């Protein structure tokens, strides 16, 4: 089955051949091709989808749609959250489309599948939405970067804040696949390390539908925290269905989604989401730089970017800058340059790319505002703290052979 490529070039006007000699010497095939591979139609399309391609386009435009005199092209396609479809698309893009880098990957299983193919083909992957720890542990690749967050960092920020507030007993409602298991495992490790206790786990099919039985079971345990180790519409539906039964509406028990995007809060509404704590890598209203990028994005999408969509912008911009600095688009040279750079842009602050592919950078601990506290649409969060990357990211794992010993 041939893939359906969405928005090829996204209206980009290709450069002429005036700088063809330079491009031919330094850029493979005379053009830099960036691919966005994500969920365009399913449960993760709200926080990735077309918006990720738009964010990539903004980065390309900021570079003048050229690097080292060569034109930049953008392609995007729907992997339908299925590893086999993602793998087939990646092979087609690498072999026939001559794509140099692929970014995004909601659903960590799709990211892991494409990472392996990219390593074989000497191409780059930048996981702006794939957050499973496997990408930087036993499945790590010298040609891959986990550009935004991982499940440990997400769990550490939110869990530590709730544990500090005295919420020691936890129950997990978990999506039954790689990402959900990873998020649950990492959050549980933080809970237990900080003196808390996990009372139990319910695992739901991915994608889920009816969450009422899982949430009622969690409520019955008396756990002080019902932690949701899922994402997208699964998280939204779980919170909505819990609200119908009054779950998480008392001081004795709270719901803590461990991966929550601003688009999820928009769908839930502040009345249902108010007071929730969450850890995010980006908030559009954090400072002048984040607002400047967000306004560009808003002008095209009429909504604010999720952290994942913002990560695509940063990943593509950094990738193109690394090509420029390295003087080539050869994958190994570009990754070496990315690791030498300090990433500091409208999205990522104080970022350093480790050998294992983890981009360690500052995160934000956020609390959802009450409806009366919001001054405008998308004004959803109080910034409670800036979490330094070294405090929340996991230490390099011995499971990744790229991490030097000793």
């Amino acid at each position: 089955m041939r893939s359906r490529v969405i928005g090829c070039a996204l209206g980009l006007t290709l450069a002429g051949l005036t700088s063809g000699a330079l491009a031919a010497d330094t850029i493979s095939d005379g053009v830099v091709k960036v691919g966005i591979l994500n969920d365009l139609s399913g449960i993760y399309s709200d926080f990735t989808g077309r918006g990720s391609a738009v964010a990539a386009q903004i980065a390309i435009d900021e570079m003048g749609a050229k690097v080292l005199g060569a034109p930049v092209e953008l392609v995007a396609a729907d992997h339908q959250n299925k590893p086999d479809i993602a793998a087939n698309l990646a092979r087609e893009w690498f072999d026939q489309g001559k794509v140099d880098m692929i970014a995004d990957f909601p659903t960590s299983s799709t990211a892991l599948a494409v990472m392996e193919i990219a390593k074989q083909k000497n191409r780059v992957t930048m996981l702006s939405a794939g957050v499973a720890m496997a990408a930087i542990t036993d499945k790590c690749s010298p040609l891959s970067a986990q550009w935004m967050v991982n499940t440990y960092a997400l769990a550490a920020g939110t869990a530590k804040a709730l544990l500090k507030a005295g919420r020691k007993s936890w129950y997990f409602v978990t999506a039954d696949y790689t990402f959900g298991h990873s998020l649950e495992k990492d959050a549980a490790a933080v809970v237990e390390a900080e003196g808390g206790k996990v009372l139990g786990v319910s695992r739901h099919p991915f994608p889920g539908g009816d969450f009422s039985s899982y949430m009622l079971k969690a409520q019955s345990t008396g756990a002080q925290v019902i932690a949701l180790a899922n994402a997208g519409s699964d998280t939204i539906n779980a919170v909505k269905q819990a609200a119908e039964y009054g779950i998480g509406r008392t001081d004795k028990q709270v719901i803590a989604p461990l991966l929550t995007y601003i688009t999820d809060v928009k769908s839930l509404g502040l009345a249902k989401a108010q007071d929730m704590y969450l850890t995010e890598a980006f908030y559009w209203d954090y400072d002048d730089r984040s607002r400047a990028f967000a306004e560009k994005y808003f002008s095209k999408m009429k909504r604010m970017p999720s952290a994942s969509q913002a990560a695509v912008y940063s990943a593509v911009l950094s990738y193109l800058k690394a090509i420029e600095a390295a003087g080539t688009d050869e994958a190994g040279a570009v990754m070496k340059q990315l690791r030498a750079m300090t990433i500091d842009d409208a999205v990522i602050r104080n970022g350093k790319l480790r050998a294992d592919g983890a981009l360690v950078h500052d995160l934000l601990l956020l609390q959802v505002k009450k409806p009366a506290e919001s001054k405008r649409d998308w004004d959803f969060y109080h910034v409670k703290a800036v979490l330094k990357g070294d405090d929340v990211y996991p230490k390099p794992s011995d499971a990744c052979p790229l991490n030097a010993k000793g």
Side-chain angles (χ1 to χ4, degrees), residues 22-36:
L22 174 62
D25 289 339
T26 58
I27 299 297
S28 59
D29 308 301
V31 60
V32 174
K33 291 191 178 182
V34 173
I36 302 300

Side-chain angles (χ1 to χ4, degrees), residues 1 23 85 117 157 208 211 248 285 322 368:
M1 179 184 73
I85 292 177
I117 297 167
F211 291 86
D285 202 21
V368 180

Side-chain angles (χ1 to χ4, degrees), residues 99-139:
V99 169
D100 299 290
M101 184 274 279
I102 305 179
D104 215 1
F105 307 108
T107 318
S108 295
S109 55
T110 65
L112 296 174
V114 175
M115 282 172 60
E116 181 60 31
I117 297 167
K119 184 167 65 173
Q120 296 168 8
K121 304 289 185 180
N122 195 39
R123 308 296 170 84
V124 173
T125 51
M126 302 182 80
L127 282 56
S128 39
V131 297
M133 284 288 291
I136 59 169
T137 56
D138 58 306
K139 303 295 185 183

Side-chain angles (χ1 to χ4, degrees), residues 110-398:
T110 65
L112 296 174
V114 175
M115 282 172 60
E116 181 60 31
I117 297 167
K119 184 167 65 173
Q120 296 168 8
K121 304 289 185 180
N122 195 39
R123 308 296 170 84
V124 173
T125 51
M126 302 182 80
L127 282 56
S128 39
V131 297
M133 284 288 291
I136 59 169
T137 56
D138 58 306
K139 303 295 185 183
C140 68
S141 165
L143 301 181
S144 182
Q146 194 173 57
W147 201 253
M148 202 52 158
V149 290
N150 54 55
T151 52
Y152 185 94
L154 290 169
T158 303
K160 286 182 178 180
L162 290 172
L163 289 159
K164 187 176 180 180
R167 298 187 180 275
K168 300 292 188 179
S169 60
W170 289 56
Y171 190 95
F172 287 89
V173 176
T174 300
D176 193 10
Y177 78 106
T178 305
F179 154 73
H181 296 171
S182 181
L183 189 55
E184 174 200 312
K185 176 184 176 182
D186 294 329
V190 172
V191 169
E192 292 171 350
E194 298 289 327
K197 185 177 181 180
V198 177
L199 301 185
V201 177
S202 290
R203 293 194 171 98
H204 66 80
F206 168 75
D210 184 0
F211 291 86
S212 56
S213 62
Y214 305 115
M215 301 306 290
L216 286 167
K217 184 176 180 180
Q219 182 189 41
S220 71
T221 67
Q224 294 170 304
V225 179
I226 300 174
L228 302 181
N230 53 21
S233 62
D234 281 348
T235 296
I236 293 167
N237 289 333
V239 174
K240 285 182 176 178
Q241 290 171 30
E244 293 173 4
Y245 292 95
I247 300 171
R249 291 302 175 193
T250 70
D251 289 338
K252 294 181 178 180
Q253 196 169 59
V254 298
I255 295 173
L258 296 176
L259 177 56
T260 307
Y261 291 99
I262 196 169
T263 47
D264 301 331
V265 176
K266 175 69 171 178
S267 296
L268 285 166
L270 293 182
K272 289 186 174 68
Q274 62 184 306
D275 298 327
M276 291 193 313
Y277 276 89
L278 56 126
T279 299
E280 276 273 40
F282 171 82
Y283 176 41
W284 73 268
D285 202 21
Y286 175 64
D287 64 10
D288 288 343
R289 283 195 291 170
S290 61
R291 284 187 286 271
F293 161 68
E295 291 300 336
K296 288 182 182 179
Y297 183 93
F298 189 88
S299 70
K300 299 176 183 296
M301 291 294 292
K302 306 307 177 188
R303 59 191 302 172
M304 290 303 179
S306 71
S308 181
Q309 290 157 342
V312 172
Y313 161 83
S314 176
V316 173
L317 186 66
S318 298
Y319 174 73
L320 296 177
K321 287 182 176 180
I323 291 174
E324 191 171 63
T328 176
D329 65 347
E330 193 279 320
V334 173
M335 292 303 297
K336 181 179 180 180
Q337 182 63 42
L338 283 169
R339 289 187 171 94
M341 295 163 57
T342 295
I343 310 300
D344 195 79
D345 55 35
V347 177
I348 301 293
R349 307 300 168 85
N350 303 314
K352 293 296 292 185
L353 184 63
R354 295 193 320 211
D356 58 10
L359 179 65
V360 178
H361 60 99
D362 295 348
L363 303 179
L364 302 174
L365 179 66
L366 305 170
Q367 185 179 29
V368 180
K369 290 183 174 182
K370 293 178 171 63
E373 295 172 330
S374 179
K375 304 303 181 185
R376 57 170 286 192
D377 197 14
W378 300 98
D379 174 24
F380 290 165
Y381 297 141
H382 296 294
V383 178
K384 305 301 288 185
V386 176
L387 308 174
K388 296 300 181 184
D390 288 340
D391 294 335
V392 291
Y393 277 79
K395 301 302 181 186
S397 169
D398 289 341

Side-chain angles (χ1 to χ4, degrees), residues 51-79:
S52 292
V54 167
Q57 184 68 63
I58 293 172
I60 291 168
D61 290 346
E62 288 186 7
M63 293 292 291
K66 287 184 180 181
V67 61
L68 297 178
V72 181
E73 289 185 16
L74 180 64
V75 295
D78 188 348
H79 63 29

